[in-house]
Amino acid sequence: MNYKEMAELVKGWVEEAGDLLRESLQNTSLKVEEKTNPSDLVTEMDKSIEAFYVEKIRAHFPDHKIYGEEGTYDEINDLDGFIWVIDPIDGTLNYVKQKSNFCSMLALFKDGEGVLAFINDVIHEDVYYSVQGEGVYCNERRLEPIEEHPLKEGLLAINTKMALSEMEEAQQLIDEALGVRLIGSAGLEMVQVLMNRVSAYVTTPLQTWDIAPGYVMAQELGLTFTQRTGEPIDLMKKNAILIANPLAHKEIVKTFIN
Ligand code: IPD
Ligand code: CA
Ligand code: CA
């Protein structure tokens, strides 16, 4: 099976996960548990969607490794071979409290290079996906490459933790941009940059599953996606990220280099 055929197959799984998640919004007795603190939640749907992806991957690609947020870890000591990265619900707090502003994400890497990526914006029924070298699609529509522009011509997205714990840096960047937007789902925030609705997204350290598909898709659209210090992303650890068009990226990175 080539990558395009794989993408068609996996898009079906991601769409099915979206259907299950939309149906689950009617469930009035959803099981919700705390993980590390009261705002770090996991629901029965986080677990069952991850299990759903894992079952499909194991059945079709038994030799591939899996790295999933909700506990499915094969032993991964390096990036050799095929590795699937799963974030079954990104923005679980939004899923529980807002019943919107969450997504489901999957990415496939081969020897550390992103080859397939999927982000399902469940409420809007928009599936973003990419195949290496073939661009990024939203459902049937191919996304336009993004033209370079300075931060002062666009909006800035940051994650909540950055807004709260790094106020000086956040303020400096917000002053530069036309305005700031916070959603609470790294996946949907990265989509905003892919769609050129915001010009940059900057964060405190995030897990690999939070960033994997956005990282893969950014490369297809001519966006620069690095650690916010400008260093390359290291998929084996957490990364504080900066995704932007190359010009805005060059401007923003200065804030984080000392
Ligand atoms: C969270 C969201 C959020 C980000 C957090 C992530 P989760 O993912 O992406 O925007 O700021 O750091 O943990 O836990 O809902 O999958
Ligand atoms: Ca996440
Ligand atoms: Ca999650």
Side-chain angles (χ1 to χ4, degrees):
M1 204 185 295
N2 64 33
Y3 289 143
K4 269 190 176 172
E5 289 162 342
M6 282 171 82
E8 275 311 305
L9 172 72
V10 178
K11 190 149 78 73
W13 308 344
V14 174
E15 284 165 354
E16 205 176 324
D19 294 342
L20 295 168
L21 285 165
R22 272 188 303 280
E23 276 165 33
S24 74
L25 296 173
Q26 311 304 324
N27 179 354
T28 49
S29 57
L30 186 79
K31 257 192 254 141
V32 183
E33 293 163 64
E34 264 182 37
K35 282 166 128 181
T36 54
N37 62 64
S39 64
D40 185 12
L41 304 177
V42 60
T43 71
E44 60 187 279
M45 287 307 288
D46 294 78
K47 294 177 187 171
S48 69
I49 296 292
E50 179 158 312
F52 166 80
Y53 288 140
V54 168
E55 193 199 321
K56 299 282 189 201
I57 295 166
R58 296 266 191 247
H60 287 84
F61 310 108
D63 305 339
H64 293 190
K65 289 184 184 158
I66 301 178
Y67 185 57
E69 176 177 12
E70 305 306 343
T72 316
Y73 296 98
D74 286 318
E75 197 182 330
I76 294 172
N77 301 314
D78 55 42
L79 297 172
D80 289 352
F82 284 102
I83 302 176
W84 291 87
V85 181
I86 306 175
D87 190 341
I89 303 177
D90 178 62
T92 297
L93 189 55
N94 289 346
Y95 168 70
V96 173
K97 290 294 169 194
Q98 301 191 306
K99 299 196 182 298
S100 67
N101 293 322
F102 62 91
C103 59
S104 183
M105 309 202 284
L106 256 188
L108 176 64
F109 292 84
K110 164 116 196 290
D111 299 332
E113 267 190 44
V115 290
L116 299 178
F118 305 84
I119 300 177
N120 188 344
D121 176 347
V122 172
I123 295 301
H124 293 108
E125 298 189 41
D126 284 331
V127 176
Y128 297 84
Y129 68 99
S130 70
V131 180
Q132 190 179 36
E134 304 283 340
V136 182
Y137 286 78
C138 172
N139 302 324
E140 303 310 314
R141 183 164 66 92
R142 188 170 179 160
L143 305 192
E144 298 292 328
I146 290 160
E147 280 181 28
E148 282 201 286
H149 57 275
L151 180 60
K152 69 173 190 226
E153 289 178 11
L155 292 164
L156 169 76
I158 57 176
N159 70 330
T160 323
K161 207 165 183 184
M162 176 158 178
L164 297 174
S165 63
E166 296 175 326
M167 286 180 192
E168 207 176 301
E169 290 86 349
Q171 188 65 56
Q172 203 178 314
L173 294 174
I174 293 165
D175 287 347
E176 225 10 74
L178 290 175
V180 65
R181 299 291 179 268
L182 284 79
I183 300 176
S185 154
L188 293 182
E189 276 152 337
M190 294 186 299
V191 161
Q192 293 292 302
V193 187
L194 301 171
M195 296 293 282
N196 205 15
R197 291 176 182 157
V198 308
S199 296
Y201 177 49
V202 191
T203 74
T204 51
L206 296 179
Q207 299 282 359
T208 297
W209 50 72
D210 296 315
I211 63 169
Y215 174 55
V216 176
M217 291 182 199
Q219 300 175 12
E220 295 290 322
L221 293 177
L223 291 162
T224 310
F225 194 130
T226 64
Q227 297 185 46
R228 62 191 195 178
T229 52
E231 288 159 87
I233 296 293
D234 180 350
L235 294 167
M236 298 291 287
K237 65 173 194 54
K238 286 175 101 176
N239 292 267
I241 63 155
L242 164 57
I243 165 177
N245 71 77
L247 181 57
H249 186 279
K250 213 189 292 168
E251 295 171 334
I252 296 169
V253 89
K254 288 186 196 142
T255 312
F256 299 100
I257 307 172
N258 293 308

